[in-house]
């Protein structure tokens, strides 16, 4: 596993973004782990987060695209942080764009924040985590409504590696339905590999009991 992935896993734990316990996902599944990017709350954290996203984006898509689109609301700071990091790390000046939940009819009118999306633009979408592909269903029509736009792919922080609405993973379903490439900074398999029965800051994050709960979850919702 690449070093930046290990660092990112520990970074999520430090920021309390990656939590273990008893949670319910947006899609209604009871899960023993949860990723909440709302816990990235400081400038230093966002700067580091943007760097991890930038590395994952560069590895999968390079920097030859025009717009990084972050769906409202959590995608807004993600798109800003990642485009700043792409500029700093790779010298590429990518535009950021997000949507509003409500269309504004005065001042800076319309549904978009940041850069407009123009005919011919190549767009990568940035999100926190995708469980069942619900958010992307709302996002794609917004992007496509802007003109002759090429949606290249989707990057998330964590691939939960579970089924979407059918038997395939949510990311695989998105690839198939929308023709997008997808990638993640880390997968849950990498998270478990790095943290299971390994002491981090004096504590075992994933012990045998939690590992059994995660395994049970994947028996129910994992990709067969």
């Amino acid at each position: 596993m690449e070093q930046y992935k290990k660092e990112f896993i520990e970074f999520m734990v430090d920021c309390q973004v990656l939590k273990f316990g008893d949670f319910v996902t947006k899609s209604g599944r009871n899960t023993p782990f949860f990723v909440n990017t709302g816990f990235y709350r400081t400038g230093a954290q966002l700067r580091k987060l943007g760097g991890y996203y930038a590395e994952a984006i560069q590895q999968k898509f390079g920097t030859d695209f025009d717009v990084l689109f972050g769906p409202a609301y959590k995608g807004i700071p993600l798109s800003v942080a990642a485009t700043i990091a792409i500029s700093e790390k790779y010298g590429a000046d990518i535009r950021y764009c997000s949507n509003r939940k409500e269309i504004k009819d005065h001042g800076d009118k319309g549904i978009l924040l940041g850069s407009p999306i123009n005919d011919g633009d190549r767009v990568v979408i940035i999100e926190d985590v995708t469980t069942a592909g619900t958010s992307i269903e709302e996002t794609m029509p917004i992007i496509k409504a802007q003109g002759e736009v090429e949606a290249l792919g989707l990057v998330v922080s964590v691939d939960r590696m579970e089924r979407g609405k059918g038997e395939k993973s949510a990311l695989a379903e998105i690839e198939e339905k929308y023709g997008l490439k997808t990638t993640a900074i880390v997968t849950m398999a990498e998270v478990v590999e790095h943290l299971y029965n390994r002491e981090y800051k004096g504590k075992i994050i994933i012990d045998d009991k939690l590992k059994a709960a995660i395994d049970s979850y994947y028996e129910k919702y994992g990709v067969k």
Side-chain angles (χ1 to χ4, degrees), residues 17-43:
V17 166
L18 175 62
K19 294 186 176 182
F20 298 96
D22 187 14
F23 308 97
V24 179
T25 66
K26 187 177 179 180
S27 55
R29 296 172 180 175
N30 289 96
T31 173
F33 55 90
F34 196 71
V35 179
N36 184 358
T37 57
F39 276 82
Y40 296 121
R41 292 173 173 172
T42 73

Side-chain angles (χ1 to χ4, degrees), residues 33 52 89-90 94 159 211:
F33 55 90
Y52 293 125
K89 280 177 170 283
Y90 305 112
I94 305 296
D159 179 359
K211 174 67 160 55

Side-chain angles (χ1 to χ4, degrees), residues 112 117-121 140-151:
L112 300 183
I117 299 176
N118 306 311
D119 284 348
D121 277 345
M140 285 299 290
I142 294 170
I143 293 173
K144 290 297 187 181
Q146 307 310 311
E148 294 297 320
V149 177
E150 184 181 1

Side-chain angles (χ1 to χ4, degrees), residues 4 7 46-59 62-63 81-94 185:
Y4 84 94
E7 292 176 3
L46 285 173
R47 186 184 184 92
K48 288 186 73 172
L49 176 63
Y52 293 125
Y53 266 111
E55 195 142 1
I57 289 167
Q58 198 277 334
Q59 283 195 4
T63 56
T83 49
I84 291 171
I86 290 170
S87 173
E88 291 177 343
K89 280 177 170 283
Y90 305 112
D93 202 17
I94 305 296
I185 303 173

